[in-house]
Amino acid sequence: MNTDRKALWAVRQSALPTVVRSCPDCPGTRHRASGKIRANANGKLLDVWLLLSCATCGRTSKVPVHERVHVSTLEPARLVAYEINDPAAVRELVMSASLAAKNRYRLDWTGTWELATRTPLYALDDPNPLSVQVRFELPAPVRVERLLQLGLGLSRAEVRRLVADERIRLPFAPDVKAHQDFELTLHEPGFVDTARHAKSLGAPDTERTDLARIGLPPVPGRELPRRATAHA
Ligand SMILES: [Zn+2]
């Protein structure tokens, strides 16, 4: 798409994902990173664990990160990061899909992100297409229509209608969960104001008030009923 009109939407991190796995001490399944990493050297062999804390009972549990690896296989800087509980290293480990797969737990990304937009909405009356780059600063799976709702301040039904009308053009279906950068295009972007105006004439909609502002985090719990499809 050749257009000079570009906007940037950033999916920003607002929290770490929750680790979902059973707790040996209670019926709880939700665990948070405790912020600590434990490294234990035995001669030249090293064990490294990520420490989690059960959100229900507080029990600490360990996730093996490295088991019996030779010290020389880890970069010195990484070893130091582990030893000082470097927050960036904790973040990397708790967000790691491969660590989750290896240790057979699930990551719940609900409430971990917010959308920051600098869309020049003032220029929506410009009839030229507006290209929107969506950048992910964390690999949270985010439903595309949810992003559009937040970014444009529209309801899901309106977003779906505009996608069906090809006034919003997406690289995939609106109910897909994206977790990587992509680009979408708004054609005749004035439709956003039109849709908002039409909405304001209809029944009061509390969601509109909340989401009309830019950069609000998703409403907690809203993603939960769709969890079954969230990790497909
Ligand atoms: Zn527990």
Side-chain angles (χ1 to χ4, degrees):
M1 167 63 34
N2 286 324
T3 167
D4 293 334
R5 306 187 65 219
K6 287 192 189 301
L8 177 65
W9 291 2
V11 178
R12 297 231 163 104
Q13 185 144 35
S14 56
L16 290 175
T18 301
V19 171
V20 182
R21 68 175 193 175
S22 57
C23 172
D25 283 2
C26 83
T29 57
R30 301 178 69 76
H31 295 75
R32 304 258 174 219
S34 72
K36 293 198 169 126
I37 298 168
R38 183 171 296 161
N40 194 17
N42 187 348
K44 289 287 181 190
L45 295 179
L46 192 70
D47 287 300
V48 177
W49 299 275
L50 171 68
L51 300 192
L52 302 177
S53 175
C54 173
T56 306
C57 73
R59 182 190 199 274
T60 300
S61 56
K62 300 192 292 187
V63 174
V65 178
H66 297 290
E67 293 176 284
R68 303 258 136 198
V69 294
H70 198 273
V71 171
S72 63
T73 60
L74 289 182
E75 285 177 23
R78 176 156 292 267
L79 203 49
V80 169
Y82 288 161
E83 282 166 356
I84 64 170
N85 301 309
D86 176 32
V90 171
R91 174 179 182 267
E92 182 193 322
L93 291 176
V94 78
M95 294 200 312
S96 165
S98 61
L99 195 62
K102 193 173 130 200
N103 290 283
R104 297 191 181 82
Y105 58 73
R106 187 171 68 77
L107 294 176
D108 182 352
W109 296 90
T110 306
T112 60
W113 59 273
E114 58 189 19
L115 183 65
T117 71
R118 290 227 191 112
T119 309
L121 292 175
Y122 54 86
L124 284 176
D125 54 350
D126 186 326
N128 292 311
L130 176 67
S131 158
V132 179
Q133 317 274 336
V134 182
R135 295 227 182 105
F136 282 72
E137 295 177 3
L138 72 166
V142 175
R143 200 174 295 276
V144 174
E145 62 191 0
R146 182 79 188 133
L147 274 184
L148 288 163
Q149 285 176 253
L150 289 167
L152 301 174
L154 299 176
S155 72
R156 186 194 302 174
E158 285 162 335
V159 166
R160 289 194 167 186
R161 183 171 55 76
L162 293 164
V163 171
D165 290 349
E166 296 193 334
R167 283 193 282 179
I168 300 175
R169 293 194 194 172
L170 301 168
F172 23 58
D175 61 345
V176 159
K177 286 208 162 187
H179 55 88
Q180 289 177 344
D181 298 359
F182 68 94
E183 185 174 332
L184 60 95
T185 313
L186 307 180
H187 288 261
E188 299 171 50
F191 69 75
V192 175
D193 276 344
T194 307
R196 280 179 176 166
H197 181 64
K199 197 172 181 180
S200 69
L201 298 176
D205 183 345
T206 51
E207 188 182 55
R208 179 177 182 275
T209 313
D210 293 341
L211 301 183
R213 279 179 49 210
I214 296 303
L216 280 177
V219 179
R222 199 165 286 254
E223 297 288 323
L224 289 178
R226 301 200 297 267
R227 190 182 290 171
T229 56
H231 302 274

